[in-house]
Amino acid sequence: MTATLIDGKEFAARVRGQVAAHVTRLKADHGITPGLAVVLVGEDPASQVYVRSKGKQTVEVGMKSVEHKLEADTSEADLLAVIAQLNADPEIHGILVQLPLPGHLDEDLVINSIDPAKDVDGFHISNVGLLGTGQKSMVPCTPLGCLMMLRDYHGSLSGMNAVVIGRSNIVGKPMAQLLLGDSCTVTIAHSRTKDLAQVVRGADIVVAAVGRPEMVPGDWIKPGATVIDVGINRLDAPEKGEGKTRLVGDVDFDSCAAVAGAITPVPGGVGPMTIACLLANTLTACCRASGLDEPEGLTA
Ligand code: GUN
């Protein structure tokens, strides 16, 4: 391997440390404790793990954590009532509704019922529009984490060619907007892109967010490019023993690391940054709601 490893685990710990220091000051100087509410509908095992982890880390940085666990058959009206109550609660600065929601609930309607100022996921249509027009917004956590790592590694991203593989509302599209905001020349590639290899070969920055295990091989990577792997795919790993699995990203790590200048591993790359940025967004939302300066380096 020749690439520098971008250590997301270490970076996320640093972000949490910065958030915790701000929270301590907010409490001491202003008597304010940032509060994050997470709403989970149903019992999806992966979502339960995420929500537990979010709650634990929220408390660890000194914030107030509130969890609303609702039955899988909760009506839309009841869910909207919970959100309305959180929107009106002055002690809650961030609201996250864990996705996916059970099929009978309209995700767009639910997300757009959150007060945009408390939408720490950055999924509300107002925040999407604000980001797209370069205005102050809440920025989706995973792309924000990728941007922080890229800025930390490169300093300025101005003029770099960036290719984002994947066009989801949660990662691909906001990632492209953020890179454009930092003056990259941005291409959004996806499953229908013609000659994806050639497109990726022109990139100084590759962000892979397609959800297809090890899809990007090393011979697509321009020598010295920076590779940010957003994928988290679980594969069977019989070589580790019966029933064992391993996590891989959307890029083939070994062959890409042999060519890239820098690369994020899976696990331990982008993954840990997502919750760290959720905490950063909650702090940002709290500062804005309280008329205080935003934390430097923790926003887009
Ligand atoms: N489910 C998986 N990732 C996310 C996320 O970032 N936010 C929400 N709300 N739900 C998710």
Side-chain angles (χ1 to χ4, degrees):
M1 174 169 143
T2 57
T4 300
L5 205 63
I6 300 178
D7 186 342
K9 205 170 155 191
E10 188 271 334
F11 200 110
R14 214 182 330 149
V15 170
R16 287 196 302 273
Q18 287 171 272
V19 171
H22 278 283
V23 171
T24 301
R25 243 174 294 141
L26 270 180
K27 286 180 183 174
D29 296 350
H30 303 280
I32 298 169
T33 302
L36 172 64
V38 174
V39 180
L40 173 63
V41 186
E43 282 162 14
D44 177 69
S47 292
Q48 285 179 323
V49 172
Y50 278 133
V51 167
R52 241 195 325 273
S53 192
K54 283 168 190 165
K56 182 167 170 277
Q57 294 189 34
T58 304
V59 171
E60 279 170 3
V61 295
M63 293 182 182
K64 171 177 162 153
S65 169
V66 173
E67 282 177 21
H68 286 263
K69 292 188 174 164
L70 308 178
E71 300 290 331
D73 62 356
T74 297
S75 71
E76 204 158 79
D78 285 350
L79 175 55
L80 293 179
V82 169
I83 294 171
Q85 179 206 325
L86 295 169
N87 281 342
D89 186 340
E91 291 192 1
I92 295 298
H93 306 92
I95 302 169
L96 179 146
V97 177
Q98 184 68 29
L99 301 177
L101 288 171
H104 67 286
L105 299 169
D106 179 342
E107 268 181 18
D108 288 338
L109 180 80
V110 170
I111 295 302
N112 290 329
S113 74
I114 298 171
D115 177 348
K118 297 188 179 187
D119 168 38
V120 282
D121 260 329
F123 295 165
H124 190 290
I125 188 67
S126 296
N127 282 315
V128 175
L130 290 168
L131 178 62
T133 50
Q135 300 178 71
K136 195 185 270 191
S137 65
M138 296 307 304
V139 175
C141 304
T142 300
L144 178 58
C146 295
L147 182 75
M148 282 184 189
M149 290 194 287
L150 284 167
R151 282 179 176 169
D152 183 67
Y153 184 74
H154 284 286
S156 169
L157 308 180
S158 181
M160 296 179 85
N161 285 330
V163 172
V164 179
I165 315 174
R167 53 176 157 176
S168 71
N169 291 335
I170 293 180
V171 183
K173 287 180 200 162
M175 187 76 248
Q177 296 288 3
L178 289 171
L179 292 166
L180 202 51
D182 271 29
S183 301
C184 291
T185 302
V186 182
T187 303
I188 305 178
H190 48 78
S191 57
R192 302 285 178 92
T193 297
K194 284 189 184 143
D195 204 352
L196 183 57
Q198 210 48 39
V199 172
V200 175
R201 280 186 192 116
D204 305 306
I205 294 169
V206 180
V207 180
V210 266
R212 286 180 52 188
E214 300 175 324
M215 194 194 94
V216 178
D219 68 357
W220 290 12
I221 302 298
K222 175 168 147 180
T226 300
V227 177
I228 305 290
D229 192 349
V230 181
I232 301 177
N233 310 285
R234 195 169 283 283
L235 297 184
D236 289 336
E239 73 279 5
K240 288 168 66 181
E242 201 183 312
K244 296 283 185 196
T245 59
R246 64 190 174 100
L247 286 181
V248 301
D250 289 350
V251 312
D252 178 53
F253 183 83
D254 290 344
S255 63
C256 287
V259 186
I263 188 166
T264 60
V266 176
V270 174
M273 287 299 289
T274 298
I275 297 183
C277 287
L278 174 69
L279 303 175
N281 276 351
T282 304
L283 174 65
T284 298
C286 177
C287 290
R288 287 179 186 169
S290 313
L292 300 168
D293 289 342
E294 290 174 21
E296 240 174 80
L298 296 175
T299 56

